[in-house]
Amino acid sequence: MPHITVTLAHEADFAGWRTATRSLAGRHTPPADITWQIAGGTESATLPAPDPEAARFTVPRAVMELAAIMVQSALPDRFTLAYTLVYDHVMGMPTGEEAADRMARARDDVITHTRHLRDAFREALSGHDGTTPYQGRVEAPDLVPESNARFLTLQRSFAPWQLDMPDRTLRWTGHEMLREAPGQAPRPLDPTSLPPPALPMVPDLDITRITSLRAVALAAKTCLICPMAAHATQTVFGEGRETARMMFVGEQPGDIEDRAGRPFVGPAGQLFDRALHEAGIGRDDTYVTNTVKHFKFRRTPTRRIHEKVGPAEIAACAPWLAAERRIIRPAVVVMLGVTAASALLGRAVTISRERSRLIALEDGSDGLVTVHPSYLLRLPDEAARAREYDRFVNDLRLAASRLAPAVT
């Protein structure tokens, strides 16, 4: 088999490595037959063409997570190590003892230096007034810092920053990321090409500093605070206008929302949309979210069954909900169900006692407690569903009545 050279776009081109690995490992190409190099000067990335004859394969999440960490290490052969990990899995072989030992040491180094780098970022940002672009320098001999650019970008709420390294500069203009090396013109760097950070972003991220809803939503997608994140398909963040004057808060995403990545799109969401329309409220004019951003469930042979969230999950997601309220500053917050009402009011709530009346919230907005749309779907007979649906629509109308005419 001829020797293959793969040219990657930059030092942490995880996306390019993954594309090449999918093709090469599927053809059972040994690691010794591949040279991995980084594009420089006028040279462009060159990846192997897709091979229709390549075998399809799947790799456990733990294997890909370790491969991503290898790509973040500063080892000269990091892409070979990452490829070896996947290749050995595809071929059903144990990874050699020497390679496994090097990977373990590299993983520990990357995690240690990632923690130190983020601590340094946080300290530097705490003393930065935010009126000028942030500029810093980093010496990380055992880490490719590009993987943490996402952390810095979100912490700065997409404001410009520049990071100087011994052999290159990484710069976020506010709109795009650029990589500059001596003697080379600046090159755009696609943030989606970077490997996921070696450590969860949230424990190191000061959510209260973020002023952009988009930045908060992106940060939440890497949240691993509670165990639900390891089992759910994805974080389901809120959606709607950042200037919305009305916010709706439910309990948690369901099975359909978990797969779609959007809140209130299943049967309860469709009923909710119909009720909004009858109440004269445009969903596009609102912001819709949940108290908890991951789907909690128990698995059966054929289904994933919804389970009620507990205090631990509510507490874990509280910073995200607080950030949504802080940034959007709605005039009216409608609490859909007991979980949302208890979380926002900070006390035990009985829906029948609190429903259909306005409550002054601590941030100056008006709160209103009503049922969750899923409750209407569970009612046993058609007459009860019709009666409670009308009450639900009337609650929405009451909430909308608190909105003063928008200033034009």
Side-chain angles (χ1 to χ4, degrees), residues 17 34 51 57 152 204 251 254 260 298 303 324 330 344 349 352:
W17 170 87
I34 308 170
D51 184 352
F57 61 88
L152 188 55
D204 301 285
E251 179 198 5
R298 59 181 174 85
R303 296 178 58 199
E324 289 173 298
L344 288 172
V349 170
S352 59

Side-chain angles (χ1 to χ4, degrees), residues 7-10 37-45 179 181 183-184 187:
T7 304
L8 299 171
H10 54 80
Q37 65 183 21
I38 308 300
T42 59
E43 190 178 25
S44 299
R179 176 191 176 279
Q184 298 179 15
R187 289 188 174 190

